[in-house]
Amino acid sequence: MNHQYQDLITLFNDTFYHSYNTKLVLGGDEPIYLPADESNSFHRIIFARGFYASALHEIAHWCVAGPKRRLLEDFGYWYEPDGRDEATQKQFEQVEVRPQAYEWILSKSAGFNFNVSCDNLHGEFEPDRLSFMNKVHQEVLSILQVGLPTRVKMLSDALRIFYSTPELSPQDFLVK
């Protein structure tokens, strides 16, 4: 299956621009979320370098953010860049479980391969990727059991229609 970021931009913008005043936008090296301001009348999810996975990840963070957070740059979330120590990495992983679960659901909806991201290539230790993946997996199963949140469902449905992927089930999500 061929995944073009331009298709994802179109799907996202068609799904959310009118109801949430938000657009997905191609960016440069660093992703960022920028709320509407005096120079832009709409909110922007800016993803890195045309990477489909980056776009899905940034969308997942947007899906986590509530209405007040969506009025703040980068949702007002804490972020510690690559190079974290072990304690800071654990904090990072705690706040990343839900967005990465949403990202996995959206990836599966698009028939796109998902890889959990510990995002600490230059840290002083090797994060336990499998343990983190298991936490994300448990979150996915919990979300599927209670039902997808509104925005995740809206985009999941649009992706599944566009890519002709089947309805999601817990068996679709395997830890590797």
Side-chain angles (χ1 to χ4, degrees), residues 31-50:
I32 190 167
Y33 173 79
L34 299 172
D37 57 25
E38 55 280 340
S39 58
N40 283 284
S41 61
F42 56 89
H43 311 297
R44 291 149 291 152
I45 301 170
I46 302 171
F47 66 100
R49 296 184 233 140

Side-chain angles (χ1 to χ4, degrees), residues 140-156:
V140 166
L141 296 179
S142 176
I143 293 165
L144 291 175
Q145 185 175 34
V146 299
L148 301 181
T150 301
R151 287 176 287 151
V152 176
K153 181 163 180 21
M154 289 170 69
L155 188 55
S156 173

Side-chain angles (χ1 to χ4, degrees), residues 7-147:
D7 294 330
L8 186 54
I9 288 173
T10 299
L11 287 168
F12 182 91
N13 294 348
D14 287 352
T15 304
F16 296 111
Y17 177 62
H18 293 292
S19 55
Y20 288 90
N21 193 38
T22 304
K23 289 186 177 183
L24 182 63
V25 178
L26 171 62
D29 288 340
E30 292 297 324
I32 190 167
Y33 173 79
L34 299 172
D37 57 25
E38 55 280 340
S39 58
N40 283 284
S41 61
F42 56 89
H43 311 297
R44 291 149 291 152
I45 301 170
I46 302 171
F47 66 100
R49 296 184 233 140
F51 294 137
Y52 197 93
S54 172
L56 288 175
H57 185 78
E58 297 312 310
I59 290 167
H61 277 284
W62 178 78
C63 287
V64 170
K68 290 181 182 175
R69 288 227 182 244
R70 293 194 308 270
L71 297 176
L72 303 172
E73 182 175 313
D74 261 351
F75 314 109
Y77 289 145
W78 164 87
Y79 179 75
E80 181 75 26
D82 190 344
R84 294 179 287 274
D85 62 23
E86 188 170 359
T88 308
Q89 180 65 22
K90 287 189 186 309
Q91 284 181 292
F92 169 82
E93 290 177 8
Q94 285 177 340
V95 299
E96 277 290 310
V97 169
R98 173 62 55 118
Q100 290 202 31
Y102 286 175
E103 181 184 352
W104 196 356
I105 289 165
L106 295 173
S107 295
K108 187 58 81 172
S109 298
F112 186 75
N113 189 38
F114 171 77
N115 290 302
V116 72
S117 175
C118 294
D119 195 24
N120 199 31
L121 299 174
H122 303 292
E124 59 187 51
F125 77 104
E126 183 67 30
D128 186 344
R129 186 181 179 285
L130 185 58
S131 172
F132 182 52
M133 182 73 171
N134 280 316
K135 290 173 187 169
V136 172
H137 181 250
Q138 288 305 308
E139 187 73 8
V140 166
L141 296 179
S142 176
I143 293 165
L144 291 175
Q145 185 175 34
V146 299

